[in-house]
Amino acid sequence: MMWIEKIEVDRKNAERFYVHFVKEDGGKQMVSVDQDILIEYRMKKGMTVTREQWAEMMKKDDEKQAYKLALRFLAYRMRSKREVVDYLAKKDIAAQTIEQVIVKLQHEQYIDDEQFAHAYVQTQVNTTLKGPYVIYKELMDKGISDDVIAKAMERYTEDMQRHKAIKWIEKINKQSKKRSHQEQKLYVAQLLHMKGFPSHIVEVAKQHVAANDEAEWEALMYHGEKAHRRYKTYDRYTYEQKMKQALYRKGFSLSLIEKFLEKKKED
């Protein structure tokens, strides 16, 4: 048994109060409790509290603190169940308390993995150029189940995927002109796979890598001059063989390589 000697407000947090207890042996203990706990148990000066009541109060206060932490975390954006659990765990909240808080948040619909998944997919589709596999993986990392993800991913249609993939190609086409057409197509395919697009979408998108004779020659000149500086000290036969091999690996046609070598002879 213990009794309440004094109650005072926490000056740093008006929603919490310091409760000063006096134990049977005369020892004193001060605890901080939420205002809701204070009201629920009608705590006041002189009130006696059993050890069982005290333990129950502390348990409920732990839950209240964890609940408020979770609400603040959820205030910025929607979160998955796993995100909230991980956040509370990092705050050193006991596993049992986390479980109880999660149940309450789900009951109040602050946490709903199905709604979260649908909203997440829609946001990624609206604001990024990510492929479907990347979004799928991100949802898995957030603890969303396969069946829920699969349903949410229906929002990301194949037409949308093709559109995003072509957007990537448009961006790439505006960048380096130092790749052969063949090498550019290979680069595009690798990039789109890395960005999470399925093979059949990549194959369709690759057709939008535009061929340009002027750009092809410019790229050949760039790589050809680099190779020439590397091999110019070799004898004529070895020089030409190494030049052809180097430029062919870069994706240039043999006819265009021959044209470049003829030009170098004239120079």
Side-chain angles (χ1 to χ4, degrees):
M1 189 77 70
M2 56 181 73
W3 60 277
I4 298 174
E5 180 183 35
K6 181 172 63 172
I7 299 175
E8 55 185 346
V9 68
D10 183 342
R11 293 180 182 179
K12 294 182 180 179
N13 185 348
E15 293 184 354
R16 296 192 67 79
F17 290 79
Y18 290 117
V19 182
H20 298 258
F21 287 98
V22 179
K23 301 177 184 178
E24 288 180 307
D25 60 5
K28 296 185 178 183
Q29 183 173 0
M30 181 186 73
V31 297
S32 173
V33 299
D34 189 89
Q35 62 183 0
D36 291 345
I37 304 301
L38 200 75
I39 293 167
E40 180 180 349
Y41 287 89
R42 299 179 182 179
M43 299 169 76
K44 60 184 179 180
K45 182 179 178 180
M47 174 182 174
T48 58
V49 178
T50 65
R51 290 195 174 276
E52 289 74 18
Q53 287 174 319
W54 184 85
E56 184 181 300
M57 290 175 187
M58 295 304 99
K59 178 175 177 294
K60 286 194 174 182
D61 187 68
D62 287 343
E63 291 174 15
K64 179 63 69 173
Q65 288 189 73
Y67 176 76
K68 288 187 174 182
L69 274 174
L71 286 183
R72 283 196 288 271
F73 186 57
L74 289 162
Y76 297 100
R77 63 168 176 82
M78 290 180 72
R79 311 276 184 176
S80 68
K81 174 184 171 181
R82 179 182 289 179
E83 285 182 303
V84 178
V85 169
D86 290 347
Y87 174 76
L88 293 177
K90 287 178 182 177
K91 295 294 183 180
D92 294 325
I93 307 297
Q96 185 178 358
T97 301
I98 292 173
E99 185 178 342
Q100 291 165 335
V101 168
I102 292 297
V103 169
K104 184 176 182 180
L105 291 169
Q106 288 176 320
H107 177 72
E108 295 170 345
Q109 296 185 325
Y110 286 118
I111 295 176
D112 185 320
D113 276 359
E114 190 170 331
Q115 286 187 17
F116 171 83
H118 281 271
Y120 189 87
V121 172
Q122 194 64 57
T123 299
Q124 298 305 308
V125 169
N126 290 344
T127 63
T128 76
L129 293 178
K130 294 175 184 176
Y133 294 159
V134 167
I135 299 173
Y136 197 101
K137 175 66 165 56
E138 288 174 349
L139 285 171
M140 284 187 66
D141 291 342
K142 292 179 184 297
I144 308 301
S145 64
D146 284 344
D147 58 330
V148 171
I149 296 175
K151 186 68 176 176
M153 290 301 296
E154 291 176 4
R155 290 172 174 265
Y156 198 176
T157 66
E158 290 210 350
D159 283 344
M160 291 176 178
Q161 293 172 35
R162 282 192 291 271
H163 177 73
K164 298 284 186 185
I166 291 168
K167 283 284 187 184
W168 272 113
I169 291 171
E170 290 171 355
K171 287 183 66 175
I172 294 165
N173 284 337
K174 292 176 183 177
Q175 296 170 0
S176 174
K177 303 297 183 182
K178 295 173 182 176
R179 300 187 190 96
S180 68
H181 179 64
Q182 194 62 33
E183 193 175 36
Q184 183 81 327
K185 289 178 74 172
L186 179 62
Y187 175 78
V188 162
Q190 291 172 337
L191 178 74
L192 292 179
H193 280 301
M194 184 178 70
K195 295 297 180 181
F197 291 92
S199 296
H200 67 285
I201 295 294
V202 173
E203 288 304 312
V204 171
K206 277 167 57 180
Q207 307 311 312
H208 290 265
V209 178
N212 183 303
D213 291 343
E214 184 179 341
E216 188 83 349
W217 179 250
E218 183 182 334
L220 176 60
M221 288 288 290
Y222 172 78
H223 289 288
E225 290 298 337
K226 284 181 68 176
H228 171 73
R229 289 193 294 272
R230 190 181 309 125
Y231 303 128
K232 63 183 179 180
T233 58
Y234 287 84
D235 63 82
R236 172 55 57 182
Y237 177 79
T238 306
Y239 166 80
E240 289 189 355
Q241 292 304 307
K242 286 187 174 295
M243 288 291 289
K244 288 178 181 179
Q245 290 169 5
L247 295 175
Y248 190 74
R249 284 197 298 268
K250 290 291 183 180
F252 298 106
S253 67
L254 286 174
S255 60
L256 207 58
I257 295 170
E258 293 284 0
K259 180 181 176 182
F260 175 79
L261 292 175
E262 284 299 319
K263 182 179 182 304
K264 294 306 293 182
K265 282 182 185 179
E266 294 171 4
D267 294 344

